[in-house]
Amino acid sequence: MRNRLMRNHDILRLLLVLLLILCLCLPGCGSKLPDGGSLTSVAADEDSSLYLDVSGKDVDAGKLSAAIRQGIEHNSVMRPVDNPDEKTLVVKVEVRDMFQAGTVGFSPVGWLGSTVGGALAGLAFGALVGAYTETSALLGAGVGMVVGVVGGSSYALAQADREIWAVRAGVGMATGRTPDRLEEIVVSSGEDGVASREEAIPQIGRRLAERIREVISTGAGGAGGE
């Protein structure tokens, strides 16, 4: 029994090492995105509402607004409203430019990394399952490695020629009024890319919502803004 536990612990250590190698092998890790800029923190009452004003050219403002609003609602206690009052935090987003920031593209090195990473992960999981189910760790490792190779290779091919889109936008927040000052930030659709410009808008909206949520602090009696 003790020998079995020691063997299982050794397999678990191997799994953790191989998963670390997998993260290093996967394409896209550490890819440089055009995202930049910063927003000033604002305070708001925990029971205050939030009004979102999105505008801009060359972008579907309605679709972007819906994505931002959904993203803010997901992890916020603030209530989005259509008619602001003196206690409402007004968030203005003015899209100044939407541009293609690059493509993910097919990379032989990335394909090899993804395939090897998938093989290592499959081998580790297969061996672990085989050991714990008392079947065959070697058989489990073999089956897992085959599945991992197919999955890793397919993932890399599916990522080929995907596009990275970004928006340059002015963002400002103030309580009870339209903000006087907008700070410029750049937010992209993310390192995994998207299939088209239209598909990028919801992704960018969710990432914009994250940037906005990060700088809003809510608490009793705390309200303010620029």
Side-chain angles (χ1 to χ4, degrees):
M1 180 68 178
R2 183 178 178 183
N3 289 338
R4 180 187 167 195
L5 288 174
M6 291 179 65
R7 182 184 64 181
N8 289 341
H9 287 158
D10 289 340
I11 292 174
L12 183 58
R13 292 192 196 99
L14 175 63
L15 171 63
L16 294 174
V17 171
L18 293 180
L19 287 179
L20 176 61
I21 296 174
L22 168 64
C23 290
L24 297 176
C25 290
L26 282 174
C29 290
S31 298
K32 185 173 178 59
L33 296 173
D35 300 58
S38 61
L39 299 175
T40 300
S41 297
V42 296
D45 291 338
E46 58 184 8
D47 61 346
S48 63
S49 55
L50 181 144
Y51 176 75
L52 183 62
D53 177 14
V54 179
S55 62
K57 59 180 181 179
D58 301 327
V59 66
D60 186 336
K63 190 174 182 179
L64 182 62
S65 178
I68 296 173
R69 182 167 180 157
Q70 183 179 35
I72 291 176
E73 285 181 322
H74 183 65
N75 282 320
S76 176
V77 296
M78 303 185 73
R79 301 174 295 103
V81 295
D82 295 323
N83 297 301
D85 58 29
E86 67 278 0
K87 291 186 177 181
T88 300
L89 179 65
V90 178
V91 178
K92 182 173 178 59
V93 178
E94 181 186 89
V95 177
R96 295 167 178 172
D97 186 23
M98 182 171 183
F99 58 96
Q100 186 174 340
T103 58
V104 176
F106 175 76
S107 166
V109 174
W111 175 85
L112 179 62
S114 183
T115 302
V116 171
L120 291 175
L123 184 151
F125 279 116
L128 185 64
V129 171
Y132 274 95
T133 57
E134 297 184 340
T135 52
S136 170
L138 184 60
L139 177 61
V143 173
M145 186 169 65
V146 172
V147 173
V149 167
V150 173
S153 178
S154 299
Y155 170 81
L157 291 174
Q159 294 301 102
D161 297 325
R162 289 173 68 82
E163 303 169 345
I164 297 175
W165 285 85
V167 297
R168 183 177 292 102
V171 180
M173 287 169 270
T175 300
R177 59 185 173 82
T178 300
D180 300 322
R181 180 169 60 94
L182 302 182
E183 298 172 304
E184 188 169 277
I185 61 173
V186 176
V187 178
S188 73
S189 55
E191 63 184 11
D192 289 335
V194 292
S196 66
R197 185 182 191 277
E198 287 304 306
E199 186 180 305
I201 294 177
Q203 286 284 95
I204 291 172
R206 285 188 286 270
R207 288 167 64 87
L208 268 168
E210 290 175 8
R211 298 288 302 274
I212 292 169
R213 284 202 319 265
E214 286 173 356
V215 298
I216 299 175
S217 59
T218 57
E226 291 294 330

